[in-house]
Amino acid sequence: MTESCHIPEALLAALRDARHVCVLTGAGVSAESGVPTFREAQDGLWADHDPLQLATPEGFLSDPELVWSWYRWRRELVAEVEPNPAHLGLAELAELVPRLTLVTQNVDCLHQRAGSTDVIEFHGNLFADLCFDERRAVDCDADDPAPTCPSCGALVRPGVVWFGEAIPEDALDLSFAAASDCDVFLSVGTSSLVYPAAGLADIARQNGAVTIEINPEPSRNDFDFVLENKAGAAIPALVSSLSS
Ligand code: APR
């Protein structure tokens, strides 16, 4: 699989010299594990539902049972898949460079399951349960169709960032700091359309980082290097070139 992926020597040199590598991942990294993107997951069973009903605070408050059944369905789906060579390779890459910050837009926990630590979850976590009012993690009855907070009685919601919602403050601050500080920025499997995540590459570039995109359908034309490959081929190829 790795032979088909050519890694330019200058790209490898940038990684070898890097003090701090910042990686941003998107849905493309989990595609080879079989995780459907938000839009793909709306085929079939959920095709008739408006995204604004399923992924906004207003939609949730208007029908929490419906929204919970959608998120429970997605939890089951994601729990059945495995991390792929891209997730595993990124965990290995962290061992090969002095410092690596991994920011993900994915909510599926596959980076953590592959062994990555300190993952910054920019769009939250599919498996977290949060009190709607207090925004803190709570334990709730997994079988309740619309669970409520054991301390304040408010509805409990899935811990993902919905349309129109702010990025969690810690995730935003840590990601912006990493993008400003890194000397190599690696964008993997994201369409670079959704801000503020898509702006991290601009911050890195403005601060002098070498920028790299891995995507079989490159998203923009302003990266210094583009590997037009699937992440599951390109990341292991990068790791094996760096280790040899
Ligand atoms: N390897 C690398 N990239 C891939 C692969 C693969 N095997 N397969 C697909 N891609 C690329 C596609 O070419 C596309 O550019 O992954 C990208 C996926 O784009 P999106 O579906 O828009 O996902 P993402 O960029 O993560 O979306 C950002 O939007 O839907 C919201 O909140 C959700 O976090 C998500 C955000």
Side-chain angles (χ1 to χ4, degrees):
M1 189 199 280
T2 53
E3 298 84 77
S4 61
C5 187
H6 169 69
I7 315 280
E9 197 46 50
L11 185 164
L12 283 175
L15 274 173
R16 286 203 180 98
D17 291 345
R19 178 185 45 84
H20 183 184
V21 176
C22 180
V23 183
L24 172 69
T25 65
V29 166
S30 293
E32 290 164 77
S33 290
V35 178
T37 62
F38 181 79
R39 253 151 268 286
E40 284 169 344
Q42 279 190 287
D43 285 349
L45 201 57
W46 295 93
D48 293 338
H49 293 284
D50 178 354
L52 296 181
Q53 168 67 62
L54 300 174
T56 60
E58 297 77 18
F60 174 70
L61 289 174
S62 75
D63 193 344
E65 288 195 21
L66 173 78
V67 174
W68 263 117
S69 55
W70 149 255
Y71 280 94
R72 287 192 173 120
W73 176 74
R74 288 182 66 204
R75 283 179 178 183
E76 281 169 27
L77 204 144
V78 167
E80 279 167 15
V81 307
E82 296 298 329
N84 68 54
H87 299 107
L88 297 165
L90 285 170
E92 268 185 74
L93 183 61
E95 306 294 322
L96 297 175
V97 296
R99 183 173 170 209
L100 184 140
T101 302
L102 178 54
V103 183
T104 187
Q105 297 167 90
N106 301 338
V107 295
D108 55 28
C109 287
L110 287 175
H111 285 303
Q112 292 90 331
R113 285 173 58 197
S116 286
T117 51
D118 301 324
V119 179
I120 300 176
E121 295 178 312
F122 209 76
H123 290 163
N125 181 320
L126 180 61
F127 297 94
D129 296 321
L130 298 185
C131 170
F132 190 93
D133 287 352
E134 300 164 326
R135 290 300 164 104
R136 60 186 181 83
V138 293
D139 284 329
C140 66
D141 178 357
D143 295 324
D144 187 335
T148 51
C149 173
S151 69
C152 76
L155 283 165
V156 171
R157 59 169 284 173
V160 299
V161 176
W162 281 327
F163 294 119
E165 290 191 309
I167 304 302
E169 211 173 293
D170 279 5
L172 197 64
D173 291 349
L174 290 169
S175 306
F176 275 44
S180 310
D181 179 67
C182 69
D183 24 42
V184 171
F185 184 90
L186 183 58
S187 171
V188 195
T190 173
S191 54
S192 308
L193 291 173
V194 177
Y195 283 79
L200 294 174
D202 300 317
I203 295 173
R205 185 176 303 105
Q206 283 153 15
N207 284 280
V210 172
T211 59
I212 305 166
E213 172 168 37
I214 296 175
N215 195 325
E217 293 172 43
S219 64
R220 316 193 320 196
N221 57 10
D222 52 1
F223 285 94
D224 296 315
F225 296 97
V226 177
L227 301 180
E228 284 192 42
N229 299 96
K230 291 185 172 182
I235 298 288
L238 256 188
V239 167
S240 106
S241 305
L242 268 184
S243 352
S244 58

